Amino acid sequence: MKGENMPELSIIVPIYNVENYLEKCIKSILAQTFTDFELILVNDGSPDKSDVIMKKYEILDNRIINIFQDNKGVSAARNVGLSRARGKYVAFVDPDDYIEEDTYEKLLPPMRSGGGISFSNWDAFDELGKSWGHNANELKRKMDRFYVLLHYFDMPRPMGGNVVNKIFVKSQIKNEFNEKMFIGEDFLFLLQYLLNMETEEIYFYDEPLYHIFVRSDSATRKRKDKVALVLEAKKQALTLTLTYDKKIFNLAEKEFVDSAYSFIMRLEKDKTNNYYNYSKKKFNEYIQKSWQSVLRNPEIYWKTKVIYIKKYFELR
């Protein structure tokens, strides 16, 4: 696969401190019943023995491409993988997750028929053996882009705010992952892709083909600046949707204001908390600048609008 033949699919795995999980992930990918892929493993300066595992499997399977770089974060690792990807389609797998052996055999056919995204349902499990599924039964087998965007800001997100259970068209990826974001980067990447898609059709496979391992020691779960990063991602969503469609923008605005207010109320008992003050600042800035937009927004219930305006004057 490292010769002249171009693979149909490029699978990108960013790697950092996952030596205890990486082999299971790699094995699940190499066991795919669909075989025309390249597996791009990007070691993001991992200090453990992940590099040993990578080199072991590179020798065993010539579809594997190993990339090593200094630690720059998961977004940078994925971006490097994208720059090296040769496939017509691109998929992402996180290194502590695993996939069913027929994942790509089931997800690729609708892409060949003109789909812009094909994605599966998923489930999750933790170190204690607890598992839970994601309920996406309300989704249709075939959807158009506008329908997906209408529900993109629903909670929980019907198609997920992540990229790992999906296949993308490489030529339609017009944006990179934001390397300054460590939370919400998937949410923004996926939103940008949807807004820039050249095709309208999106396909959903209801079976949970992707399995997410929820680690208590993961970098995302341990970050103390989650509030700021979440609000920043949702603020950027406003900018992205502003010129696309008014209804989609209204939904993005509702989520941003709702989130900022929610953080304020959650942290209000400790007003010395940095993220209480951060949330208050972002909420006040937006209401002051865009109060007319908020009041006109039909997606925000009128009583909620009154609460927001009242809260704005209380916090000044």
Side-chain angles (χ1 to χ4, degrees):
M1 195 59 70
K2 295 180 182 178
E4 295 298 321
N5 294 331
M6 295 295 187
E8 185 174 15
L9 175 67
S10 296
I11 305 168
I12 298 169
V13 180
I15 295 168
Y16 186 81
N17 263 2
V18 286
E19 63 176 319
N20 294 330
Y21 319 102
L22 184 57
E23 280 205 82
K24 183 174 183 177
C25 175
I26 292 175
K27 285 180 178 179
S28 75
I29 296 171
L30 296 181
Q32 291 298 296
T33 52
F34 168 81
T35 60
D36 187 15
F37 64 83
E38 62 180 1
L39 174 55
I40 303 174
L41 303 176
V42 184
N43 188 311
D44 186 45
S46 184
D48 63 359
K49 296 180 180 178
S50 291
D51 60 331
V52 176
I53 298 169
M54 292 169 63
K55 291 171 183 176
K56 167 187 170 182
Y57 280 93
E58 185 181 35
I59 294 171
L60 295 175
D61 197 307
N62 65 3
R63 293 173 296 180
I64 292 178
I65 298 170
N66 282 342
I67 299 173
F68 298 87
Q69 67 177 26
D70 293 336
N71 180 238
K72 298 176 183 177
V74 63
S75 291
R78 285 175 174 165
N79 286 338
V80 168
L82 278 173
S83 70
R84 292 284 299 272
R86 300 175 300 152
K88 183 176 181 180
Y89 307 108
V90 172
F92 300 95
V93 177
D94 280 346
D96 41 9
D97 300 339
Y98 71 96
I99 57 178
E100 293 295 318
E101 65 179 13
D102 53 355
T103 295
Y104 299 124
E105 182 180 340
K106 289 177 174 175
L107 294 184
L108 274 167
M111 298 295 285
R112 299 181 184 120
S113 302
I117 298 177
S118 178
F119 71 104
S120 74
N121 211 335
W122 68 97
D123 57 24
F125 62 100
D126 62 19
E127 293 109 322
L128 300 176
K130 180 182 177 182
S131 62
W132 57 96
H134 174 259
N135 183 12
N137 295 329
E138 71 275 16
L139 291 180
K140 305 172 185 176
R141 176 73 179 94
K142 178 181 176 181
M143 299 165 279
D144 62 60
R145 168 172 55 173
F146 193 74
Y147 175 86
V148 169
L149 285 168
L150 280 177
H151 296 281
Y152 192 75
F153 300 97
D154 292 353
M155 292 300 287
R157 306 191 194 284
M159 72 180 303
N162 49 43
V163 298
V164 292
N165 60 324
K166 301 171 178 69
I167 296 179
F168 302 88
V169 181
K170 174 70 159 55
S171 63
Q172 294 185 35
I173 298 176
K174 310 298 183 184
N175 54 283
E176 292 187 327
F177 289 89
N178 187 330
E179 296 184 10
K180 295 180 180 180
M181 301 292 292
F182 295 92
I183 295 172
E185 72 279 5
D186 282 26
F187 166 79
L188 289 172
F189 179 91
L190 182 55
L191 178 59
Q192 286 178 279
Y193 181 86
L194 286 165
L195 294 171
N196 294 325
M197 258 172 49
E198 298 166 13
T199 50
E200 294 295 326
E201 295 177 349
I202 295 169
Y203 293 85
F204 170 61
Y205 195 89
D206 187 38
E207 183 182 340
L209 301 176
Y210 194 98
H211 307 289
I212 298 173
F213 182 39
V214 180
R215 293 163 50 198
S216 59
D217 65 338
S218 70
T220 299
R221 292 173 68 87
K222 291 171 68 176
R223 289 191 69 96
K224 296 180 179 179
D225 52 353
K226 285 195 286 188
V227 169
L229 291 170
V230 167
L231 286 181
E232 177 59 27
K234 294 181 179 182
K235 184 70 181 293
Q236 288 186 32
L238 289 173
T239 303
L240 292 173
T241 56
L242 182 61
T243 58
Y244 177 76
D245 179 89
K246 182 61 176 175
K247 186 171 180 64
I248 304 303
F249 171 81
N250 286 340
L251 291 166
E253 181 179 62
K254 178 182 185 299
E255 179 166 29
F256 172 75
V257 180
D258 284 354
S259 294
Y261 179 77
S262 174
F263 284 133
I264 290 169
M265 299 308 293
R266 193 183 311 171
L267 300 168
E268 200 162 27
K269 291 181 180 179
D270 180 12
K271 294 186 178 181
T272 62
N273 185 298
N274 287 338
Y275 294 109
Y276 167 80
N277 292 310
Y278 181 88
S279 302
K280 182 178 76 171
K281 177 183 176 182
K282 292 300 177 182
F283 180 83
N284 279 352
E285 284 178 351
Y286 193 78
I287 296 296
Q288 182 178 32
K289 178 182 177 182
S290 305
W291 64 269
Q292 291 178 317
S293 175
V294 171
L295 288 178
R296 287 195 300 261
N297 190 330
E299 303 301 327
I300 303 175
Y301 186 47
W302 72 267
K303 287 186 179 180
T304 306
K305 296 175 186 179
V306 172
I307 292 170
Y308 287 166
I309 298 301
K310 180 182 178 182
K311 193 67 178 178
Y312 164 68
F313 284 105
E314 288 177 0
L315 294 172
R316 290 178 67 186

